[in-house]
Amino acid sequence: MAFSIGGATLESRFFLGTASYPSPEVLGDAIRAAGTQVVTVGLRRQLSGGAGAGDFYRMVRDSGAHLLPNTAGCTTAREAVTLARMAREMFGTHWIKLEVVGDEYTLQPDPWELVEAARELARDGFEVFPYCTDDLVTCNRLLDAGCRILMPWGAPIGSGQGLLNPTALRTLRARLPDVPLVVDAGIGSPRDAVQAMELGYDAVLVNSAVALAHDPVTMARAFRLAIEGGRLAYEGGIMAKQDMAVATTPVTGRPFVL
């Protein structure tokens, strides 16, 4: 199941967010249960300091996972670019999850500011993981700006609504067959992750659905198994749906197709 993204070869297709866990210990256990090799970290959280900030960073770093800093909270391209450059210095990585929010109610990305920021960061040597909507035109603009990866939402951040527009996500996969696609935001249960993987997506990023579960560690393991199963189903080739019943046991001829 190994795949390449951002210049790295990964075995796990489960990206895990690190916010809102009951404790650092629970987060550490969830990371291990998830088997994740990519964890997101918020730079604003590190800059704000507070009790345990240093311990949090050391714990995440010691997990051995790739760090994917994000620009959560930014509303302009200039702000996001500045924060991304600070993240590169602080975390020692050229990976950045680019977030530029245009609406504070839905937390929907601002496509114009997002593309502008992506273009500048790509020129500056970043591997940009842009959080975007499922709009094909916006996604193509991001690719033109220098992005090699896309992270379309399934639903608004933290909503747990699942994949609200699977048709649009299916279209993205069909039109951009060679682009790594990661469903980011809105996933509420392992069932949603299975659906994303069966659509042929390369990975999913989950935070709230694990962090806010009654038992985050058990939920992390559930997502791990669901993502593995969904990917195997995609690779195995899911049978086409039929309008009518089709007998599975032949009444004449041979029982096997040779």
Side-chain angles (χ1 to χ4, degrees), residues 212-258:
L212 302 182
H214 293 300
D215 183 342
V217 178
T218 297
M219 186 60 73
R221 183 169 182 268
F223 266 103
R224 176 182 186 172
L225 296 173
I227 291 165
E228 291 175 359
R231 181 65 191 186
L232 285 173
Y234 173 73
E235 293 177 354
I238 299 169
M239 67 170 286
K241 294 181 179 179
Q242 307 294 326
D243 293 331
M244 299 177 64
V246 178
T248 57
T249 302
V251 294
T252 60
R254 291 175 295 183
F256 300 103
V257 178
L258 300 178

Side-chain angles (χ1 to χ4, degrees), residues 12 37 54 80 84 113 171 198-199 208 215 243 247 255:
S12 172
Q37 294 175 283
E113 295 291 316
T171 298
E198 288 184 348
L199 288 174
S208 298
D215 183 342
D243 293 331

